[in-house]
Amino acid sequence: MSLMSLLSPVAHQLLPPWVAQPRPRPQTQATPRGSSCSRPRPAPPGFCGCLVPAEPGAGELRLVGGGGRCAGRVEVKHDGEWGSVCVYDFHSESGLAAVVCRQLGCGRVARSSVYAPFGEATGRIWLQPFYCQGNEERLQDCPHFGWGQHFCDHNRDVGVTCADAVELRLAAGGGPCAGRVEVKLQGRWGSVGDDHWDMEDAEVVCQQLGCGSATGAYSAGSHFGKGDGPISLGLVDCRGDEVTLWDCEIRAWGPYAGIHDFDTAVACQGFARLVGGDGACAGRLEVRRGRAWVGVCEDAVDMEAARVVCRELGCGQALAVLGTGRFEAGTGPFWEGGFSCTGTESLLATCARRPARGQGCAGHASIICSPYTGFRLAGDSSGCAGRVEVEAGGTWGSLCATGWDLPDAHVLCRHLGCGPSAAIVPPGGSFGGGDGPLRPDAFGCGGSERHPGECPTAVLGEPACPPGHAAAVNCSGMAEPLRLAEGESRCDGRLEVTTSPGAWARVPAGLWDARRSTVVCQQLGCGVPEKVHAVPGSGSAALPGLRCNGSEENPAWCNVSGTATTATGSPEEVAVVCSGSRRVRLAGGPGRCAGRVEVYVEGTWATVCQENWDLPHATVVCRQLGCGTALAAPGSARFGPGTGPLWPEALGCAGTEASLWDCPALARGGCRRGGGAGAECSEHRSLRLAGGSGRCSGHLEVRYNGTWGRVCAKGTSPATATAVCWQLGCGAGGRLVAAPAQAPAPAWLAWVGCEEGTRSLWRCPSAPWRLQACSPGGDAHVTCDGDGDGTSGTTTPSPGSRSPQDVPSGTAATARTVSVLTVLCVVLGTLLSLAVGAVAVQTCRARAWCRGPGKAADAVSDAVYEELDYALTPEYQEVPSRPGSPSEESGAKLPYSSGDSAEERDTKAAPASPALPEHGPPDGYDDAAAVLEEPPAADTGDVCEGEARRSWSCVPPTGGSCPPPSPPGDTRDPPGDTNYDDVGTGTLGTSL
């Protein structure tokens, strides 16, 4: 059963106007014969009447019955009374609709119809416009026959839907760029039904929503669930380059009530992504331009834009906006201009655009988001003690206590506003084991992080958690009275002091000295002051100052000189850098455990000199970062020299120290080789698909401890393929099958359990890391939907169609490889077959016409039309023919509808013409009669001895002129025809 047969209201809208009903006679006359027109307008060629000019200031406009001011039946107000607008010839409808939408300020035209799509009015018909060009300021500026003068009934009341009345969204997909396609019509959301939904249709949806290119076109029932409301649109056919979905050919405008077996869904690449980091929530920002990913300049993004990006990617809080150097450098073009966001948008594509702030691009913008969207404590009513729970992907879960320690607890407690943690971390399960399986996420906080999302975490390869062994904390519950804000960590930044719960005030520079800074660093548990300096004021509330002697254990014991005041100018404010802010990182590499060594000292990131740099130094860095042991200590040729200042310290690490600052200092000998000392640690992980036809298909392999190994298919979830494809930039979906290797290869992992929506393999739980041989089930083989360049590589079968069998990688590559010669043979053979068929049809037709027009119908089979299963059928009318007509005493029947759109003329209709009205023309007009000048030649077999020639003579109305004759085969009505019967060409036996 097709979708058309399920939407019974569609059938009426699909009937062409010359099939749905006979042409009505005019109810009033424009200008009867013998009368005169006042202030006539120039009439179009062939028009026999007068055009009434618009009256200045007359006619308010509204749309009724469409659920809002931008959709509905067109009505105008004249002499204090509202009335509808009808149009007989639908060719005039598009210009009229453009005028209506522009006059109402409702954007472009989404759809218009002359068949009363919003119901028939019951009052007056005020206007019948025609020949609207679409550039008129008001509807009444279009040519019309005068107020209240019309030639059509309420069944031709015009309905218009403007673009501002139609909305598009993706539902039930867990984000704005995947899900069931829904359109809002008449104030209600409804699904889009189509039994031939394809990638071109999906591409238009994704581009319109600002979600990049489409990666999948699906039946909603198989992916995101069927809808339960109305069906807004049906039978959609797009080319793929339309601006909006309603610019496509749509044969069924709703809303309709029907079954949802044909609801459609899409998956999009997304407009923004973060690449080069350890997961989908940190990295270099790239956006979609056309069908390619491009970089974004660092001055094009601020923290508000970062919040939008993090929300779009399903990540947590935006933690930092960085410039070039933090992540591996990108290549390729840049996005032109910047983004001006409020921070509340759901997609970066919906933010306002602004021009670039400078000439050229200094570097790539990078963003760090928290991979977790929430943290909370459960199992205790105090709010500052309990079982640790985190939210990721919309799901809350309890953390395993195996890797939970005191620095992790300190960071979480401070984030929750509960002060530092108690000195002892409660044992696992102290506040219950939680519901469901425990998350194996292992946090590696250093203690100075401002947010738990800044802490490095490991999920892949972590051991399974014992049941009930949930992490717990017991926070002090004493909120700290001061903080350092806007720094790299909680141990450096602007000094702020609490004045009341939830209120903070900054401290002006004034007479601030090191004694006060000592108290601050001690109170925060951040060591000793390294640097105290003044920064430009922010204009927020500020205190006159604090008076401390340096012996206080708590700044609350210092004397506060006055209350917080709102700064009227921009005085300088105090900023403090404590020793606890010292940090090390590996930058410019493919992950946090490989890259160029950089240290944060005295509030600045600096690169490390290559002099004396060797494997023991790299070992200390890897240990300090929790990245295992060092595999290599490369120089600047590997990860670049860096762009920041050089760290002048020369170290003599033995390789056993806990941090670089524990290494003994050597005599400074300069930095002749420059910066760029690097390290590659054993915990550095890489991902690839190997042995396939390209980088987006093949055996799933991971690099760990410096060695590549495969992933076993046993126990690995199908959603793992999607996570891998997202991470590799190979589309938003993929297929995982078990494929025995042609040659034995070791594997690192098994039982990888990625969940739906995960975008990084590193965020998936699995069995612990160990080299192993996969079982006879084979290795995991992944084929992604994309080809790595952002375009779709595979298409999803339509509902009910059969998918190709999954085959091992060794045979899959062979099956996809087809020689050029084979392709050429197939193409040339097809073209030759088409050419021969066309010649045969033309020869058959020529012989049939030579035998005579009456036999032509037997030569070629009639077109076969699909019968629509609906109750509404056109009424057949039999009317007497005029005297002298070749079809006198014969009945004329309406042709059967082919189901084409009401806005398209049916050039394949049956030979019979529409029935003529039962009454004659109005007084003052004569009929146009067809005169057959020469009969057709007699049938002489296959030889053409004569040809039926037809010509027409027109008897014009008195005082008027006739329209020019139509070309042969043209069945369209003459423009502006409002007072004549249809005249068409025909053969013997056809009603005129």
Side-chain angles (χ1 to χ4, degrees):
M1 181 178 292
S2 67
L3 176 61
M4 174 69 80
S5 63
L6 299 176
L7 300 178
S8 57
V10 179
H12 175 67
Q13 297 194 28
L14 295 180
L15 291 176
W18 56 91
V19 175
Q21 57 185 346
R23 189 181 182 100
R25 306 305 304 170
Q27 298 178 0
T28 61
Q29 302 174 26
T31 304
R33 183 174 55 187
S35 65
S36 61
C37 299
S38 61
R39 299 164 59 196
R41 290 187 177 184
F47 176 76
C48 304
C50 296
L51 308 181
V52 179
E55 300 176 21
E60 298 179 33
L61 180 67
R62 71 181 181 184
L63 296 176
V64 179
R69 60 176 295 270
C70 292
R73 183 177 60 252
V74 181
E75 292 189 357
V76 292
K77 190 176 185 180
H78 181 67
D79 287 341
E81 183 180 356
W82 287 99
S84 61
V85 175
C86 68
V87 171
Y88 185 79
D89 185 358
F90 63 85
H91 289 298
S92 305
E93 148 206 340
S94 58
L96 180 153
V99 175
V100 169
C101 290
R102 185 173 61 253
Q103 185 175 345
L104 292 175
C106 290
R108 301 167 54 242
V109 178
R111 189 243 183 179
S112 60
S113 174
V114 299
Y115 304 113
F118 297 96
E120 299 180 9
T122 57
R124 300 185 62 119
I125 297 177
W126 271 128
L127 287 179
Q128 182 185 348
F130 57 93
Y131 286 113
C132 272
Q133 300 299 312
N135 54 9
E136 292 85 355
E137 292 185 5
R138 302 172 303 170
L139 181 60
Q140 57 265 34
D141 293 338
C142 295
H144 60 88
F145 297 104
W147 293 97
Q149 302 296 310
H150 55 90
F151 295 81
C152 44
D153 296 319
H154 279 301
N155 59 0
R156 296 298 182 104
D157 284 345
V158 180
V160 174
T161 301
C162 305
D164 287 0
V166 191
E167 298 180 45
L168 176 69
R169 73 179 182 185
L170 299 178
C177 291
R180 184 176 60 252
V181 183
E182 292 189 350
V183 171
K184 190 176 185 180
L185 287 181
Q186 301 184 20
R188 297 182 62 192
W189 286 101
S191 57
V192 174
D194 194 342
D195 49 359
H196 292 87
W197 186 255
D198 56 24
M199 288 296 293
E200 285 72 24
D201 306 327
E203 180 71 16
V204 175
V205 171
C206 292
Q207 294 289 352
Q208 180 179 348
L209 291 174
C211 289
S213 295
T215 58
Y218 310 111
S219 167
S222 63
H223 280 72
F224 305 103
K226 301 177 182 179
D228 55 6
I231 298 174
S232 294
L233 302 178
L235 302 174
V236 179
D237 187 14
C238 303
R239 299 185 307 272
D241 58 357
E242 291 87 352
V243 177
T244 66
L245 184 63
W246 28 96
D247 291 332
C248 303
E249 179 185 350
I250 300 175
R251 299 178 63 193
W253 276 81
Y256 304 103
I259 65 174
H260 290 268
D261 290 351
F262 300 99
D263 285 358
T264 58
V266 302
C268 311
Q269 281 273 18
F271 178 72
R273 70 177 183 181
L274 299 176
V275 297
D278 283 324
C281 293
R284 190 176 63 254
L285 176 62
E286 292 184 349
V287 297
R288 196 76 172 175
R289 185 170 65 191
R291 299 202 172 199
W293 292 101
V294 296
V296 178
C297 293
E298 56 182 314
D299 63 351
V301 178
D302 55 14
M303 184 56 75
E304 301 303 325
R307 291 190 179 98
V308 177
V309 171
C310 294
R311 183 182 302 111
E312 178 177 346
L313 297 179
C315 303
Q317 180 179 334
L319 302 176
V321 178
L322 309 174
T324 300
R326 176 65 178 87
F327 299 102
E328 193 173 16
T331 59
F334 284 91
W335 177 267
E336 297 178 0
F339 299 93
S340 181
C341 306
T342 64
T344 59
E345 297 87 349
S346 60
L347 292 169
L348 184 63
T350 61
C351 293
R353 308 295 165 83
R354 60 173 174 80
R357 290 175 177 163
Q359 298 294 329
C361 187
H364 288 83
S366 298
I367 296 175
I368 297 178
C369 313
S370 170
Y372 303 97
T373 53
F375 295 86
R376 70 185 183 189
L377 299 178
D380 188 86
S381 59
S382 67
C384 287
R387 184 177 62 254
V388 181
E389 293 187 350
V390 299
E391 183 188 31
T395 303
W396 286 93
S398 299
L399 281 183
C400 182
T402 302
W404 189 256
D405 57 16
L406 188 59
D408 303 332
H410 277 313
V411 175
L412 177 61
C413 288
R414 289 189 171 103
H415 170 68
L416 296 176
C418 293
S421 169
I424 300 176
V425 177
S430 298
F431 294 93
D435 299 326
L438 299 178
R439 297 183 61 99
D441 309 32
F443 281 71
C445 302
S448 64
E449 292 84 357
R450 296 169 300 175
H451 190 282
E454 295 179 354
C455 302
T457 56
V459 181
L460 188 70
E462 292 298 311
C465 190
H469 192 56
V473 297
N474 188 10
C475 305
S476 65
M478 299 175 57
E480 293 169 326
L482 77 161
R483 68 183 182 187
L484 298 176
E486 300 180 5
E488 284 286 327
S489 69
R490 56 176 297 273
C491 291
D492 70 295
R494 295 177 187 263
L495 175 61
E496 294 184 350
V497 178
T498 182
T499 57
S500 61
W504 295 88
R506 294 181 175 179
V507 180
L511 300 177
W512 189 265
D513 57 27
R515 290 182 303 173
R516 300 177 178 88
S517 301
T518 300
V519 176
V520 169
C521 292
Q522 289 176 350
Q523 171 65 24
L524 293 176
C526 291
V528 298
E530 277 191 343
K531 181 180 179 181
V532 180
H533 60 111
V535 295
S538 60
S540 59
L543 289 173
L546 294 176
R547 294 192 300 272
C548 306
N549 57 27
S551 62
E552 296 87 352
E553 296 181 2
N554 191 318
W557 300 344
C558 299
N559 295 323
V560 179
S561 57
T563 58
T565 59
T566 300
T568 56
S570 296
E572 291 185 331
E573 297 169 353
V574 174
V576 179
V577 179
C578 304
S579 60
S581 66
R582 292 175 179 175
R583 304 170 74 183
V584 64
R585 71 183 184 188
L586 296 177
R592 61 174 296 270
C593 291
R596 180 179 58 254
V597 181
E598 294 183 354
V599 294
Y600 188 75
V601 179
E602 296 185 357
T604 303
W605 284 104
T607 57
V608 177
C609 289
Q610 298 182 71
E611 264 76 20
N612 301 319
W613 188 259
D614 54 15
L615 197 61
H617 290 80
T619 299
V620 175
V621 170
C622 292
R623 181 182 300 112
Q624 187 173 350
L625 291 173
C627 289
T629 61
L631 301 177
S636 60
R638 178 76 179 276
F639 301 111
T643 57
L646 292 173
W647 190 36
E649 299 294 333
L651 304 175
C653 298
T656 58
E657 294 85 354
S659 73
L660 285 179
W661 288 272
D662 295 331
C663 296
L666 301 178
R668 297 185 180 181
C671 194
R672 295 182 300 273
R673 297 176 57 193
E680 181 180 352
C681 309
S682 60
E683 291 291 322
H684 168 60
R685 298 162 295 180
S686 298
L687 171 68
R688 71 183 181 187
L689 297 176
S693 59
R695 75 175 195 88
C696 292
S697 66
H699 292 279
L700 176 57
E701 295 185 352
V702 291
R703 187 174 187 267
Y704 179 75
N705 200 21
T707 303
W708 285 100
R710 293 187 174 175
V711 175
C712 297
K714 183 177 181 180
T716 299
S717 67
T720 301
T722 301
V724 169
C725 294
W726 269 111
Q727 187 170 348
L728 292 176
C730 290
R735 186 176 70 255
L736 185 145
V737 296
Q742 296 180 351
W748 269 120
L749 294 169
W751 295 91
V752 180
C754 296
E755 298 178 353
E756 292 289 341
T758 305
R759 295 192 176 189
S760 172
L761 183 67
W762 314 138
R763 306 296 304 173
C764 302
S766 71
W769 294 97
R770 69 181 183 90
L771 285 175
Q772 58 193 294
C774 292
S775 65
D779 305 332
H781 186 279
V782 174
T783 302
C784 299
D785 289 345
D787 59 6
D789 296 323
T791 55
S792 176
T794 60
T795 57
T796 301
S798 302
S801 63
R802 295 185 60 187
S803 302
Q805 295 293 328
D806 295 332
V807 295
S809 61
T811 59
T814 305
R816 286 189 294 267
T817 305
V818 182
S819 67
V820 177
L821 181 60
T822 302
V823 174
L824 290 176
C825 290
V826 172
V827 172
L828 292 177
T830 303
L831 293 176
L832 181 59
S833 300
L834 292 175
V836 171
V839 171
V841 170
Q842 293 298 329
T843 303
C844 182
R845 287 178 174 173
R847 291 184 177 181
W849 281 110
C850 289
R851 289 195 296 267
K855 300 179 181 180
D858 297 332
V860 182
S861 299
D862 293 333
V864 178
Y865 299 95
E866 178 183 1
E867 184 175 354
L868 304 182
D869 185 13
Y870 56 84
L872 180 62
T873 57
E875 296 181 1
Y876 291 89
Q877 265 190 329
E878 294 191 12
V879 297
S881 302
R882 299 184 188 88
S885 170
S887 58
E888 186 175 0
E889 299 180 357
S890 66
K893 293 187 177 182
L894 297 177
Y896 188 76
S897 169
S898 66
D900 291 337
S901 173
E903 283 73 21
E904 297 177 359
R905 295 281 182 176
D906 188 2
T907 59
K908 301 177 289 185
S913 300
L916 296 173
E918 297 181 8
H919 53 280
D923 295 338
Y925 290 92
D926 298 322
D927 262 342
V931 179
L932 188 63
E933 292 185 349
E934 184 177 346
D939 184 9
T940 57
D942 292 340
V943 181
C944 295
E945 295 181 354
E947 179 181 1
R949 295 177 301 190
R950 299 174 301 278
S951 62
W952 300 95
S953 61
C954 174
V955 181
T958 305
S961 61
C962 293
S966 299
D970 189 354
T971 62
R972 296 178 299 175
D973 296 335
D977 179 18
T978 62
N979 212 29
Y980 296 103
D981 298 318
D982 291 343
V983 178
T985 61
T987 62
L988 289 176
T990 303
S991 298
L992 299 179

